[in-house]
Amino acid sequence: MEVQIAVAKTNKYAVTESGDTLEVVERPNGGVSVVLADGQTSGRGAKAVSMLVVRRVIALLADGVRDGAAARAASDTLYTEKQGKVISTLNIISVDLQSGTVVVTRNNPAPFFMAHNEKVDCISTPSSEIGISRNIRPVISEIPLEPGLTLVVFTDGLVHAGDRVGRPMDICTSIKAVLEDQDPSPRQVADSLLAEAVRLDDNRPSDDISVVVLKVLSRTGDDVRRMNVRLPITPRS
Amino acid sequence: MEVQIAVAKTNKYAVTESGDTLEVVERPNGGVSVVLADGQTSGRGAKAVSMLVVRRVIALLADGVRDGAAARAASDTLYTEKQGKVISTLNIISVDLQSGTVVVTRNNPAPFFMAHNEKVDCISTPSSEIGISRNIRPVISEIPLEPGLTLVVFTDGLVHAGDRVGRPMDICTSIKAVLEDQDPSPRQVADSLLAEAVRLDDNRPSDDISVVVLKVLSRTGDDVRRMNVRLPITPRS
């Protein structure tokens, strides 16, 4: 087996700093975790919030803390620092080699999608942002790690794409359409969803948008772990 | 402009846990840092050491600490925890958007390579591992961020590839050969170096090998940040 993860991330139009923060870190007992937070509002303030949340979570995961406990701790930290006045969404997607599962920990009203081959399910159990009150709990989904599984997780910039101009995005239909292609790579799925969202916003995204696509495949290649990063650099004004 | 980073990583033959740890993290003031450590020996013990070092460094970088200070702190932490009995190499490669430079912070006897287009330089200033004594300092190279720059950084598994069978790898010649190709991507450079090392070791790497290739290009595409991860899963025995 192998797991492939693709991330695509763009900023709100005319804002140089994304309010979304995303990090991929190795788990101390095997596997990787993707940690994604979207801080309230946009620009520098939101960035500070989402970085605070993601840093807290990755420090705890590195210590071997379970994902759900890390999400609760991040919520309490944010609540304590901002007295409940600033909220953030949080998603943790973990490939946990100890349990042989993918664990999705979600504090985000936005749903996520899970596909087994071309059958797509929307997981939309109500879930609260973190930092809004005490005793915030995440919604946790544990999914067996097996070939054919695709997960699509995103921030609300994708959910609200096109709202401004009255043609909202139907994410489920879009995912089904791209999965019908000939065995698309996670890269193709992520890029296709992000491109559609940006197009619906007339190429001026009305919010930061981050999309994470995780796919489990039968082993096709060598034993090499690989990571590629592309960082476009916008000259600062 | 855009920066592309490729990482390729393989384990010592018949050892399921790599002693190398590598993480890519966002810098709080813009840009990204690649942090790579290689703990002494191999397997679980080495992994614990390299994770300790990398976690310490990424926590400090996230707080806005400069790379050189983070490397010194990681050395002192390791020295204190292990009483100078366990050492580790450490490389930090940072795309620093504040200074408009790439900063390479090196505590590693292994050199690194820097190419401007096809002109390749080997930077081999003597540099000590961390954790070996007090007052360890890194060697720091600051390089303007401009199109045409390629950096190649690696752990000593690459340096010693082929030693066992008496045909050592000439890394500089290999890099020159791959850069002579038609504008190779960082992915192609990293994969080509790793494949050659594994071949020289008769497909049984005698050490963990990690290769990081960073390339600065003129801007070719959209404003989307992207990351791809491939994680091969070996059934545990």
Side-chain angles (χ1 to χ4, degrees), chain A residues 62-125:
Chain A
D63 283 337
V65 172
R66 280 164 296 169
D67 297 24
R72 288 171 196 225
S75 183
D76 291 344
T77 300
L78 185 59
Y79 182 78
T80 305
E81 288 231 352
K82 306 287 183 185
Q83 295 120 38
K85 289 175 188 151
V86 177
I87 62 176
S88 173
T89 68
L90 172 64
N91 289 91
I92 310 173
I93 306 105
S94 294
V95 178
D96 182 346
L97 298 186
Q98 277 192 311
S99 61
T101 58
V102 183
V103 182
V104 181
T105 302
R106 183 171 139 258
N107 277 113
N108 192 344
F112 77 92
F113 289 85
M114 174 166 73
H116 287 91
N117 299 311
E118 288 173 29
K119 186 181 169 300
V120 181
D121 290 308
C122 175
I123 287 83
S124 56
T125 324

Coordinates of all heavy atoms in Angstrom, one line a residue, chain A residues 62-125:
Chain A
A62 N 3.5 15.5 18.3 CA 4.9 15.0 18.3 C 5.2 14.4 19.7 O 6.1 13.5 19.7 CB 5.8 16.2 18.1
D63 N 4.5 14.7 20.7 CA 4.7 14.1 22.0 C 3.9 12.8 22.1 O 3.9 12.2 23.2 CB 4.2 15.0 23.1 CG 5.2 16.1 23.4 OD1 6.4 15.9 23.1 OD2 4.8 17.2 24.0
G64 N 3.2 12.4 21.1 CA 2.4 11.1 21.1 C 1.0 11.3 21.6 O 0.3 10.3 21.8
V65 N 0.6 12.5 21.9 CA -0.8 12.8 22.3 C -1.8 12.4 21.2 O -1.5 12.6 20.0 CB -1.0 14.3 22.7 CG1 -2.4 14.6 23.0 CG2 -0.1 14.6 23.9
R66 N -2.9 11.8 21.6 CA -3.9 11.4 20.6 C -4.6 12.6 19.9 O -4.7 13.7 20.6 CB -5.0 10.5 21.2 CG -4.5 9.1 21.3 CD -5.4 8.3 22.3 NE -5.3 8.9 23.6 CZ -6.2 8.6 24.6 NH1 -7.1 7.7 24.5 NH2 -6.0 9.2 25.8
D67 N -5.0 12.4 18.7 CA -5.5 13.6 17.9 C -6.7 14.3 18.6 O -6.7 15.5 18.6 CB -6.0 13.1 16.5 CG -4.8 12.5 15.7 OD1 -3.9 12.0 16.3 OD2 -4.9 12.5 14.5
G68 N -7.6 13.5 19.2 CA -8.8 14.2 19.8 C -8.4 15.0 21.0 O -8.9 16.1 21.2
A69 N -7.4 14.5 21.8 CA -6.9 15.2 22.9 C -6.2 16.5 22.5 O -6.3 17.6 23.1 CB -6.0 14.4 23.8
A70 N -5.5 16.4 21.4 CA -4.7 17.5 20.9 C -5.7 18.6 20.4 O -5.5 19.8 20.6 CB -3.8 17.1 19.7
A71 N -6.8 18.2 19.8 CA -7.8 19.2 19.3 C -8.4 19.9 20.5 O -8.7 21.1 20.5 CB -8.9 18.5 18.5
R72 N -8.8 19.1 21.6 CA -9.4 19.7 22.8 C -8.4 20.7 23.4 O -8.8 21.8 23.8 CB -9.7 18.7 23.8 CG -10.9 17.8 23.4 CD -11.1 16.7 24.3 NE -12.0 15.7 23.7 CZ -13.0 15.1 24.4 NH1 -13.2 15.3 25.6 NH2 -13.7 14.2 23.8
A73 N -7.1 20.3 23.5 CA -6.1 21.2 24.1 C -6.0 22.5 23.3 O -5.9 23.6 23.8 CB -4.8 20.5 24.1
A74 N -6.0 22.4 21.9 CA -5.9 23.6 21.1 C -7.1 24.5 21.3 O -7.0 25.7 21.3 CB -5.8 23.2 19.6
S75 N -8.3 23.9 21.5 CA -9.5 24.7 21.7 C -9.3 25.4 23.1 O -9.6 26.7 23.1 CB -10.7 23.8 21.8 OG -11.9 24.6 21.9
D76 N -8.9 24.7 24.1 CA -8.7 25.4 25.4 C -7.7 26.5 25.4 O -7.8 27.5 26.0 CB -8.4 24.3 26.5 CG -9.5 23.4 26.7 OD1 -10.7 23.7 26.4 OD2 -9.3 22.3 27.3
T77 N -6.6 26.2 24.6 CA -5.6 27.2 24.5 C -6.1 28.5 23.9 O -5.9 29.6 24.3 CB -4.4 26.7 23.7 OG1 -3.9 25.5 24.3 CG2 -3.3 27.7 23.5
L78 N -6.8 28.3 22.8 CA -7.4 29.5 22.0 C -8.4 30.2 22.9 O -8.4 31.4 23.0 CB -8.0 29.0 20.7 CG -8.5 30.1 19.8 CD1 -7.4 31.0 19.4 CD2 -9.2 29.5 18.5
Y79 N -9.3 29.4 23.6 CA -10.3 30.0 24.4 C -9.6 30.8 25.6 O -10.1 32.0 25.9 CB -11.2 28.9 25.0 CG -12.3 29.4 25.9 CD1 -13.4 30.0 25.3 CD2 -12.2 29.4 27.3 CE1 -14.5 30.5 26.1 CE2 -13.2 29.9 28.1 CZ -14.4 30.5 27.5 OH -15.4 31.0 28.3
T80 N -8.6 30.3 26.1 CA -7.9 31.0 27.2 C -7.2 32.2 26.7 O -7.3 33.3 27.3 CB -6.9 30.0 27.9 OG1 -7.6 28.8 28.3 CG2 -6.2 30.7 29.1
E81 N -6.5 32.1 25.6 CA -5.8 33.3 25.1 C -6.7 34.4 24.6 O -6.3 35.6 24.8 CB -4.9 32.9 23.9 CG -3.7 32.0 24.3 CD -2.4 32.5 23.8 OE1 -2.4 33.5 23.0 OE2 -1.3 32.0 24.2
K82 N -7.8 34.0 24.0 CA -8.6 35.1 23.4 C -10.0 35.2 24.1 O -10.9 35.9 23.6 CB -8.9 34.7 21.9 CG -7.6 34.5 21.1 CD -6.9 35.7 20.8 CE -5.7 35.4 20.0 NZ -4.9 36.6 19.7
Q83 N -10.1 34.6 25.3 CA -11.4 34.8 26.1 C -12.6 34.5 25.3 O -13.7 35.1 25.5 CB -11.4 36.2 26.7 CG -10.3 36.5 27.7 CD -9.5 37.7 27.2 OE1 -10.1 38.6 26.7 NE2 -8.2 37.6 27.4
G84 N -12.5 33.5 24.4 CA -13.7 33.1 23.7 C -14.1 34.0 22.6 O -15.2 33.8 21.9
K85 N -13.3 35.0 22.3 CA -13.7 36.0 21.3 C -13.3 35.7 19.9 O -13.7 36.4 18.9 CB -13.2 37.4 21.7 CG -13.9 38.0 22.9 CD -13.3 39.3 23.4 CE -13.9 39.7 24.7 NZ -13.0 40.5 25.5
V86 N -12.3 34.8 19.8 CA -11.8 34.5 18.5 C -11.9 33.0 18.2 O -11.5 32.2 19.1 CB -10.3 34.9 18.3 CG1 -9.7 34.5 17.0 CG2 -10.2 36.4 18.5
I87 N -12.4 32.5 17.1 CA -12.6 31.1 16.9 C -11.8 30.7 15.7 O -11.3 31.5 14.9 CB -14.1 30.7 16.7 CG1 -14.7 31.5 15.5 CG2 -14.9 31.1 18.0 CD1 -16.1 31.1 15.2
S88 N -11.7 29.4 15.5 CA -10.9 28.9 14.4 C -11.5 27.5 14.1 O -12.0 26.8 15.0 CB -9.4 28.7 14.8 OG -8.7 28.0 13.8
T89 N -11.4 27.1 12.8 CA -11.7 25.7 12.5 C -10.4 24.9 12.6 O -9.3 25.4 12.6 CB -12.3 25.5 11.1 OG1 -11.2 25.8 10.1 CG2 -13.5 26.5 10.8
L90 N -10.6 23.6 12.8 CA -9.4 22.7 12.9 C -9.8 21.4 12.3 O -10.8 20.8 12.6 CB -9.0 22.5 14.4 CG -7.9 21.5 14.7 CD1 -6.6 21.9 14.0 CD2 -7.8 21.3 16.2
N91 N -8.9 20.9 11.4 CA -9.1 19.5 10.9 C -7.7 18.8 11.1 O -6.7 19.4 10.7 CB -9.4 19.5 9.4 CG -10.9 19.9 9.2 OD1 -11.2 21.1 9.0 ND2 -11.8 18.9 9.2
I92 N -7.7 17.6 11.6 CA -6.5 16.8 11.6 C -6.8 15.5 10.9 O -7.8 14.8 11.1 CB -6.1 16.4 13.1 CG1 -6.1 17.7 14.0 CG2 -4.8 15.7 13.1 CD1 -5.9 17.3 15.5
I93 N -6.0 15.2 9.9 CA -6.1 14.0 9.1 C -4.9 13.2 9.3 O -3.8 13.6 8.9 CB -6.3 14.3 7.6 CG1 -7.5 15.3 7.4 CG2 -6.6 13.0 6.8 CD1 -7.0 16.7 7.0
S94 N -5.0 12.1 10.0 CA -3.8 11.3 10.3 C -3.8 9.9 9.7 O -4.8 9.2 9.7 CB -3.8 11.1 11.9 OG -3.6 12.3 12.5
V95 N -2.7 9.6 9.1 CA -2.5 8.2 8.7 C -1.8 7.6 9.9 O -0.6 7.9 10.1 CB -1.6 8.2 7.4 CG1 -1.3 6.7 7.0 CG2 -2.2 9.0 6.3
D96 N -2.5 6.7 10.6 CA -2.0 6.1 11.8 C -1.6 4.7 11.6 O -2.4 3.8 11.4 CB -3.1 6.2 12.9 CG -2.6 5.7 14.2 OD1 -1.5 5.0 14.3 OD2 -3.2 5.9 15.3
L97 N -0.3 4.5 11.5 CA 0.2 3.1 11.1 C 0.1 2.2 12.3 O 0.1 0.9 12.0 CB 1.6 3.2 10.6 CG 1.8 4.0 9.3 CD1 3.3 3.9 8.8 CD2 0.9 3.6 8.2
Q98 N -0.1 2.7 13.5 CA -0.3 1.8 14.6 C -1.6 1.1 14.5 O -1.8 -0.1 14.8 CB -0.2 2.5 15.9 CG 1.2 2.7 16.4 CD 1.3 3.2 17.8 OE1 0.6 4.2 18.2 NE2 2.1 2.6 18.7
S99 N -2.7 1.9 14.2 CA -4.0 1.3 14.2 C -4.4 0.9 12.8 O -5.5 0.2 12.6 CB -5.1 2.3 14.7 OG -5.0 3.4 13.9
G100 N -3.6 1.2 11.8 CA -4.0 0.9 10.4 C -5.2 1.6 9.9 O -6.0 1.1 9.1
T101 N -5.4 2.8 10.4 CA -6.6 3.6 10.0 C -6.2 5.0 9.6 O -5.1 5.5 9.9 CB -7.6 3.8 11.2 OG1 -6.9 4.4 12.3 CG2 -8.1 2.4 11.6
V102 N -7.1 5.7 8.9 CA -7.0 7.1 8.7 C -8.0 7.7 9.7 O -9.2 7.4 9.8 CB -7.4 7.6 7.3 CG1 -7.2 9.1 7.2 CG2 -6.6 6.8 6.3
V103 N -7.5 8.7 10.6 CA -8.3 9.3 11.6 C -8.6 10.7 11.2 O -7.6 11.5 11.0 CB -7.7 9.2 13.0 CG1 -8.6 9.8 14.0 CG2 -7.3 7.8 13.3
V104 N -9.9 11.1 11.0 CA -10.2 12.5 10.7 C -10.8 13.1 11.9 O -11.8 12.7 12.4 CB -11.2 12.6 9.5 CG1 -11.4 14.1 9.2 CG2 -10.6 11.9 8.3
T105 N -10.1 14.1 12.5 CA -10.6 14.8 13.7 C -11.1 16.2 13.2 O -10.3 16.9 12.6 CB -9.5 14.9 14.7 OG1 -9.0 13.6 15.0 CG2 -9.9 15.7 16.0
R106 N -12.3 16.6 13.5 CA -12.9 17.7 12.8 C -13.6 18.6 13.8 O -14.5 18.2 14.5 CB -13.9 17.1 11.8 CG -14.6 18.1 11.0 CD -15.4 17.4 9.9 NE -16.7 18.0 9.7 CZ -17.9 17.6 10.2 NH1 -17.9 16.5 10.9 NH2 -18.9 18.3 10.0
N107 N -13.1 19.9 13.8 CA -13.8 21.0 14.5 C -14.1 22.0 13.4 O -13.4 23.0 13.3 CB -13.0 21.6 15.6 CG -13.1 20.7 16.9 OD1 -12.1 20.1 17.3 ND2 -14.2 20.7 17.5
N108 N -15.1 21.7 12.6 CA -15.3 22.6 11.5 C -16.8 22.3 11.0 O -17.1 21.2 10.7 CB -14.3 22.1 10.4 CG -14.2 23.1 9.2 OD1 -15.1 23.9 9.0 ND2 -13.2 23.0 8.4
P109 N -17.6 23.3 10.9 CA -18.9 23.1 10.3 C -18.9 22.6 8.9 O -19.8 21.9 8.5 CB -19.5 24.5 10.4 CG -18.7 25.3 11.4 CD -17.4 24.7 11.3
A110 N -17.8 22.9 8.2 CA -17.7 22.4 6.8 C -17.6 20.8 6.9 O -16.9 20.3 7.7 CB -16.5 23.0 6.1
P111 N -18.3 20.1 6.0 CA -18.2 18.7 6.0 C -16.9 18.2 5.4 O -16.1 19.0 5.0 CB -19.4 18.3 5.1 CG -19.5 19.4 4.1 CD -19.1 20.6 4.9
F112 N -16.7 16.9 5.3 CA -15.6 16.4 4.5 C -16.2 15.2 3.7 O -17.3 14.8 3.9 CB -14.4 16.0 5.3 CG -14.5 14.7 6.0 CD1 -14.0 13.5 5.5 CD2 -15.0 14.7 7.3 CE1 -14.1 12.4 6.2 CE2 -15.0 13.5 8.1 CZ -14.6 12.3 7.5
F113 N -15.5 14.8 2.7 CA -16.0 13.8 1.8 C -15.0 12.6 1.8 O -13.8 12.7 2.0 CB -16.1 14.3 0.3 CG -17.2 15.3 0.2 CD1 -17.1 16.6 0.5 CD2 -18.5 14.8 -0.2 CE1 -18.1 17.5 0.4 CE2 -19.5 15.7 -0.3 CZ -19.4 17.1 0.0
M114 N -15.7 11.4 1.7 CA -14.9 10.2 1.8 C -15.4 9.4 0.6 O -16.7 9.2 0.4 CB -15.3 9.5 3.1 CG -14.8 8.1 3.3 SD -14.9 7.6 5.0 CE -16.6 7.3 5.1
A115 N -14.5 8.9 -0.2 CA -14.9 8.0 -1.3 C -14.3 6.7 -1.2 O -13.1 6.6 -0.9 CB -14.6 8.7 -2.6
H116 N -15.0 5.6 -1.5 CA -14.4 4.3 -1.7 C -14.6 4.1 -3.2 O -15.7 3.9 -3.7 CB -15.1 3.2 -0.9 CG -14.8 3.4 0.5 ND1 -15.5 4.1 1.4 CD2 -13.7 2.8 1.2 CE1 -14.9 4.0 2.6 NE2 -13.9 3.3 2.5
N117 N -13.4 4.1 -3.9 CA -13.4 4.1 -5.4 C -14.3 5.3 -5.9 O -14.0 6.4 -5.5 CB -13.8 2.7 -5.9 CG -12.8 1.7 -5.4 OD1 -11.6 1.9 -5.6 ND2 -13.3 0.6 -4.9
E118 N -15.5 5.0 -6.5 CA -16.2 6.2 -7.0 C -17.5 6.5 -6.2 O -18.2 7.4 -6.5 CB -16.6 6.0 -8.5 CG -15.4 6.1 -9.4 CD -15.8 5.7 -10.9 OE1 -17.0 5.9 -11.2 OE2 -14.9 5.2 -11.6
K119 N -17.7 5.7 -5.1 CA -18.8 6.0 -4.2 C -18.5 7.1 -3.2 O -17.6 6.9 -2.4 CB -19.2 4.7 -3.5 CG -20.5 4.8 -2.7 CD -20.8 3.5 -2.0 CE -21.9 3.7 -1.0 NZ -21.6 4.7 0.1
V120 N -19.2 8.2 -3.3 CA -18.8 9.3 -2.5 C -19.8 9.6 -1.4 O -21.0 9.6 -1.6 CB -18.7 10.6 -3.4 CG1 -18.3 11.8 -2.5 CG2 -17.8 10.4 -4.5
D121 N -19.3 9.7 -0.1 CA -20.1 10.0 1.0 C -19.7 11.4 1.6 O -18.5 11.7 1.7 CB -20.0 9.0 2.2 CG -20.6 7.7 1.8 OD1 -21.8 7.7 1.4 OD2 -19.9 6.7 1.9
C122 N -20.7 12.2 2.0 CA -20.5 13.5 2.6 C -20.7 13.3 4.1 O -21.7 12.8 4.6 CB -21.5 14.5 2.1 SG -21.3 16.1 2.9
I123 N -19.6 13.5 4.9 CA -19.7 13.4 6.4 C -20.0 14.8 6.9 O -19.1 15.6 7.0 CB -18.5 12.7 7.0 CG1 -18.5 11.3 6.6 CG2 -18.5 12.8 8.5 CD1 -18.0 10.9 5.3
S124 N -21.2 15.0 7.4 CA -21.6 16.4 7.8 C -22.1 16.4 9.2 O -22.9 17.3 9.5 CB -22.6 17.0 6.8 OG -23.7 16.1 6.7
T125 N -21.8 15.5 10.0 CA -22.1 15.5 11.4 C -21.8 16.9 12.0 O -20.8 17.4 11.7 CB -21.3 14.5 12.2 OG1 -21.0 13.4 11.4 CG2 -21.9 14.1 13.5

